[in-house]
Amino acid sequence: MNLFPFLTAATAPTRLNPLDLFLEADIVVQAVMAGLILASIWVWMIIISFGLRLSGVKKRCANFETEFWKADDFDALLKDRVKLNIPSARVAAAGMGEWRRSLKVNGGKSDREGIRQRLASAMESQVAQEADTLADRLNFLATVGSVAPFVGLFGTVWGIMNSFFQIGAQENSSLAVVAPGISEALFATAIGLFAAIPAVIAYNRFSHGVNSLEARIQRFADRFHASLSRELERS
Protein backbone atom coordinates (compact mmCIF):
# COMPACT_ATOMS: atom_id res chain seq x y z
CA MET A 1 0.00 0.00 0.00
CA ASN A 2 1.26 3.47 -0.89
CA LEU A 3 1.05 5.54 2.27
CA PHE A 4 2.12 8.72 0.53
CA PRO A 5 0.29 8.85 -2.82
CA PHE A 6 0.87 12.56 -3.12
CA LEU A 7 4.63 11.89 -3.33
CA THR A 8 4.15 9.53 -6.24
CA ALA A 9 2.00 12.05 -8.04
CA ALA A 10 4.54 14.77 -7.42
CA THR A 11 7.45 12.82 -8.82
CA ALA A 12 5.64 11.34 -11.83
CA PRO A 13 6.55 13.10 -15.08
CA THR A 14 3.77 15.25 -16.47
CA ARG A 15 5.29 15.87 -19.92
CA LEU A 16 7.91 14.51 -22.29
CA ASN A 17 11.46 15.70 -21.70
CA PRO A 18 13.45 15.62 -24.97
CA LEU A 19 16.78 15.65 -23.14
CA ASP A 20 15.81 12.67 -21.00
CA LEU A 21 14.57 10.80 -24.07
CA PHE A 22 17.94 11.38 -25.74
CA LEU A 23 20.06 10.45 -22.72
CA GLU A 24 18.11 7.28 -21.95
CA ALA A 25 18.02 6.03 -25.54
CA ASP A 26 20.13 3.19 -26.95
CA ILE A 27 23.57 4.21 -28.26
CA VAL A 28 22.51 3.55 -31.86
CA VAL A 29 19.39 5.67 -31.45
CA GLN A 30 21.48 8.39 -29.81
CA ALA A 31 23.85 8.39 -32.79
CA VAL A 32 20.89 8.73 -35.16
CA MET A 33 19.44 11.58 -33.11
CA ALA A 34 22.78 13.38 -32.90
CA GLY A 35 23.29 13.12 -36.66
CA LEU A 36 19.80 14.45 -37.36
CA ILE A 37 20.27 17.32 -34.92
CA LEU A 38 23.53 18.32 -36.62
CA ALA A 39 21.82 18.10 -40.01
CA SER A 40 18.99 20.29 -38.75
CA ILE A 41 21.44 22.92 -37.47
CA TRP A 42 23.25 22.91 -40.82
CA VAL A 43 19.92 23.21 -42.66
CA TRP A 44 19.00 26.32 -40.69
CA MET A 45 22.43 27.82 -41.31
CA ILE A 46 21.93 27.32 -45.05
CA ILE A 47 18.40 28.73 -44.90
CA ILE A 48 19.56 31.92 -43.22
CA SER A 49 22.75 32.41 -45.25
CA PHE A 50 21.20 31.51 -48.60
CA GLY A 51 18.17 33.70 -47.97
CA LEU A 52 20.41 36.69 -47.33
CA ARG A 53 22.59 35.83 -50.31
CA LEU A 54 19.70 35.44 -52.74
CA SER A 55 18.13 38.70 -51.59
CA GLY A 56 21.45 40.52 -52.01
CA VAL A 57 22.07 39.08 -55.49
CA LYS A 58 18.61 40.10 -56.66
CA LYS A 59 19.11 43.64 -55.41
CA ARG A 60 22.55 43.96 -57.02
CA CYS A 61 21.27 42.62 -60.33
CA ALA A 62 18.37 45.08 -60.32
CA ASN A 63 20.67 48.02 -59.58
CA PHE A 64 23.22 46.93 -62.21
CA GLU A 65 20.62 46.49 -64.95
CA THR A 66 19.19 49.93 -64.23
CA GLU A 67 22.67 51.48 -64.48
CA PHE A 68 23.58 49.40 -67.51
CA TRP A 69 20.77 50.64 -69.74
CA LYS A 70 21.43 54.22 -68.74
CA ALA A 71 25.20 54.02 -69.33
CA ASP A 72 26.83 55.58 -72.36
CA ASP A 73 29.92 53.37 -72.09
CA PHE A 74 29.16 49.71 -71.41
CA ASP A 75 32.86 48.79 -71.19
CA ALA A 76 33.58 51.30 -68.43
CA LEU A 77 30.59 50.14 -66.39
CA LEU A 78 31.47 46.46 -66.79
CA LYS A 79 35.08 47.11 -65.77
CA ASP A 80 33.84 48.43 -62.42
CA ARG A 81 31.05 45.89 -61.84
CA VAL A 82 32.24 42.56 -63.23
CA LYS A 83 34.47 41.84 -60.23
CA LEU A 84 31.52 42.17 -57.89
CA ASN A 85 29.11 39.31 -57.22
CA ILE A 86 26.63 40.43 -59.90
CA PRO A 87 25.46 37.64 -62.25
CA SER A 88 24.02 40.13 -64.75
CA ALA A 89 27.40 41.84 -65.03
CA ARG A 90 29.15 38.55 -65.78
CA VAL A 91 26.54 37.70 -68.42
CA ALA A 92 27.04 41.10 -70.05
CA ALA A 93 30.81 40.63 -69.88
CA ALA A 94 30.48 37.24 -71.60
CA GLY A 95 28.44 38.87 -74.36
CA MET A 96 30.89 41.73 -74.83
CA GLY A 97 33.83 39.33 -74.89
CA GLU A 98 32.24 37.23 -77.62
CA TRP A 99 31.31 40.43 -79.50
CA ARG A 100 34.93 41.60 -79.58
CA ARG A 101 36.26 38.21 -80.61
CA SER A 102 33.71 37.92 -83.41
CA LEU A 103 34.41 41.40 -84.80
CA LYS A 104 38.07 40.53 -85.20
CA VAL A 105 37.11 38.06 -87.93
CA ASN A 106 36.86 40.11 -91.15
CA GLY A 107 35.46 43.07 -89.32
CA GLY A 108 32.38 41.13 -88.23
CA LYS A 109 30.69 41.54 -91.63
CA SER A 110 31.12 38.13 -93.20
CA ASP A 111 28.79 36.07 -90.99
CA ARG A 112 26.32 38.19 -89.07
CA GLU A 113 23.99 35.28 -88.32
CA GLY A 114 26.92 33.27 -86.98
CA ILE A 115 27.89 36.16 -84.73
CA ARG A 116 24.34 36.38 -83.38
CA GLN A 117 24.31 32.68 -82.61
CA ARG A 118 27.66 32.82 -80.85
CA LEU A 119 26.54 35.82 -78.79
CA ALA A 120 23.36 34.01 -77.74
CA SER A 121 25.30 30.83 -76.92
CA ALA A 122 27.91 32.68 -74.85
CA MET A 123 25.35 34.53 -72.76
CA GLU A 124 23.03 31.55 -72.33
CA SER A 125 25.96 29.47 -71.13
CA GLN A 126 26.89 32.15 -68.60
CA VAL A 127 23.28 32.41 -67.40
CA ALA A 128 23.20 28.65 -66.80
CA GLN A 129 26.52 28.78 -64.98
CA GLU A 130 25.32 31.58 -62.72
CA ALA A 131 22.16 29.63 -61.85
CA ASP A 132 24.12 26.45 -61.15
CA THR A 133 26.60 28.29 -58.93
CA LEU A 134 23.83 29.97 -56.97
CA ALA A 135 21.84 26.75 -56.48
CA ASP A 136 24.82 24.58 -55.54
CA ARG A 137 24.16 24.61 -51.78
CA LEU A 138 20.51 23.70 -52.27
CA ASN A 139 21.54 20.09 -52.90
CA PHE A 140 22.08 19.61 -49.16
CA LEU A 141 18.55 20.81 -48.43
CA ALA A 142 17.16 18.37 -50.97
CA THR A 143 19.22 15.53 -49.50
CA VAL A 144 18.14 16.22 -45.92
CA GLY A 145 14.52 16.65 -46.97
CA SER A 146 14.44 13.25 -48.64
CA VAL A 147 16.76 11.22 -46.38
CA ALA A 148 16.17 12.54 -42.84
CA PRO A 149 12.73 10.88 -42.34
CA PHE A 150 14.19 7.50 -43.30
CA VAL A 151 17.18 7.97 -41.01
CA GLY A 152 14.79 8.81 -38.18
CA LEU A 153 12.70 5.77 -39.07
CA PHE A 154 15.81 3.61 -38.84
CA GLY A 155 16.37 4.91 -35.30
CA THR A 156 12.74 4.17 -34.47
CA VAL A 157 12.91 0.62 -35.80
CA TRP A 158 16.10 -0.03 -33.87
CA GLY A 159 14.56 1.36 -30.67
CA ILE A 160 11.45 -0.77 -31.04
CA MET A 161 13.59 -3.85 -31.65
CA ASN A 162 15.47 -3.03 -28.47
CA SER A 163 12.16 -2.73 -26.59
CA PHE A 164 11.08 -6.16 -27.74
CA PHE A 165 14.46 -7.49 -26.63
CA GLN A 166 13.80 -6.06 -23.17
CA ILE A 167 10.44 -7.82 -23.12
CA GLY A 168 12.18 -11.12 -23.75
CA ALA A 169 14.98 -10.44 -21.28
CA GLN A 170 12.68 -9.44 -18.45
CA GLU A 171 9.88 -11.81 -19.43
CA ASN A 172 7.47 -8.99 -18.84
CA SER A 173 5.27 -7.53 -21.56
CA SER A 174 3.69 -4.80 -19.47
CA LEU A 175 3.43 -1.31 -20.90
CA ALA A 176 5.78 0.02 -18.24
CA VAL A 177 8.58 -2.09 -19.70
CA VAL A 178 8.17 -1.21 -23.37
CA ALA A 179 6.80 2.34 -23.19
CA PRO A 180 10.09 4.15 -22.42
CA GLY A 181 11.96 2.43 -25.23
CA ILE A 182 9.18 3.04 -27.73
CA SER A 183 8.99 6.72 -26.72
CA GLU A 184 12.73 7.11 -27.25
CA ALA A 185 12.46 5.32 -30.59
CA LEU A 186 9.61 7.50 -31.83
CA PHE A 187 11.55 10.57 -30.77
CA ALA A 188 14.11 9.71 -33.46
CA THR A 189 11.40 9.91 -36.11
CA ALA A 190 10.23 13.23 -34.68
CA ILE A 191 13.75 14.66 -34.99
CA GLY A 192 13.97 13.34 -38.55
CA LEU A 193 10.78 15.18 -39.46
CA PHE A 194 12.01 18.27 -37.62
CA ALA A 195 15.06 18.30 -39.88
CA ALA A 196 13.26 17.33 -43.09
CA ILE A 197 10.23 19.64 -43.07
CA PRO A 198 12.14 22.97 -43.01
CA ALA A 199 14.61 21.57 -45.56
CA VAL A 200 11.84 20.67 -48.02
CA ILE A 201 10.03 23.98 -47.58
CA ALA A 202 13.25 25.98 -47.96
CA TYR A 203 14.38 23.96 -50.97
CA ASN A 204 11.11 24.56 -52.81
CA ARG A 205 11.11 28.24 -51.91
CA PHE A 206 14.74 28.85 -52.84
CA SER A 207 14.46 26.81 -56.03
CA HIS A 208 11.63 29.08 -57.09
CA GLY A 209 13.77 32.11 -56.22
CA VAL A 210 16.73 30.82 -58.22
CA ASN A 211 14.50 30.02 -61.20
CA SER A 212 12.97 33.48 -61.01
CA LEU A 213 16.41 35.10 -60.91
CA GLU A 214 17.60 32.94 -63.79
CA ALA A 215 14.60 34.01 -65.86
CA ARG A 216 15.33 37.65 -65.05
CA ILE A 217 18.99 37.33 -66.07
CA GLN A 218 17.94 35.53 -69.24
CA ARG A 219 15.59 38.40 -70.12
CA PHE A 220 18.47 40.81 -69.57
CA ALA A 221 20.68 38.66 -71.81
CA ASP A 222 18.00 38.59 -74.53
CA ARG A 223 17.64 42.35 -74.41
CA PHE A 224 21.40 42.84 -74.58
CA HIS A 225 21.59 40.38 -77.45
CA ALA A 226 18.97 42.38 -79.33
CA SER A 227 20.95 45.57 -78.69
CA LEU A 228 24.14 44.01 -80.04
CA SER A 229 22.25 42.65 -83.05
CA ARG A 230 21.04 46.13 -83.93
CA GLU A 231 24.58 47.42 -83.57
CA LEU A 232 25.73 44.63 -85.86
CA GLU A 233 23.21 45.66 -88.51
CA ARG A 234 24.54 49.22 -88.46
CA SER A 235 28.16 48.09 -88.87
Side-chain angles (χ1 to χ4, degrees), residues 9 35 135 217 221:
I217 299 172

mmCIF file of all heavy atoms in Angstrom, residues 9 35 135 217 221:
data_model
loop_
_atom_site.group_PDB
_atom_site.id
_atom_site.type_symbol
_atom_site.label_atom_id
_atom_site.label_comp_id
_atom_site.label_asym_id
_atom_site.label_seq_id
_atom_site.Cartn_x
_atom_site.Cartn_y
_atom_site.Cartn_z
ATOM 1 N N ALA A 9 2.568 11.122 -7.058
ATOM 2 C CA ALA A 9 2.005 12.047 -8.041
ATOM 3 C C ALA A 9 2.938 13.200 -8.303
ATOM 4 O O ALA A 9 3.040 13.708 -9.420
ATOM 5 C CB ALA A 9 0.647 12.565 -7.557
ATOM 6 N N GLY A 35 23.079 12.800 -35.256
ATOM 7 C CA GLY A 35 23.293 13.123 -36.660
ATOM 8 C C GLY A 35 22.176 13.978 -37.228
ATOM 9 O O GLY A 35 22.424 14.932 -37.981
ATOM 10 N N ALA A 135 22.670 27.828 -57.036
ATOM 11 C CA ALA A 135 21.845 26.750 -56.480
ATOM 12 C C ALA A 135 22.660 25.591 -55.934
ATOM 13 O O ALA A 135 22.075 24.585 -55.503
ATOM 14 C CB ALA A 135 20.895 26.231 -57.557
ATOM 15 N N ILE A 217 17.699 37.155 -65.408
ATOM 16 C CA ILE A 217 18.987 37.330 -66.065
ATOM 17 C C ILE A 217 18.895 36.963 -67.541
ATOM 18 O O ILE A 217 19.517 37.595 -68.398
ATOM 19 C CB ILE A 217 20.069 36.486 -65.352
ATOM 20 C CG1 ILE A 217 20.230 36.935 -63.898
ATOM 21 C CG2 ILE A 217 21.407 36.609 -66.062
ATOM 22 C CD1 ILE A 217 21.134 36.034 -63.087
ATOM 23 N N ALA A 221 19.796 39.134 -70.750
ATOM 24 C CA ALA A 221 20.681 38.658 -71.815
ATOM 25 C C ALA A 221 20.008 38.786 -73.183
ATOM 26 O O ALA A 221 20.657 39.179 -74.169
ATOM 27 C CB ALA A 221 21.085 37.210 -71.550
#
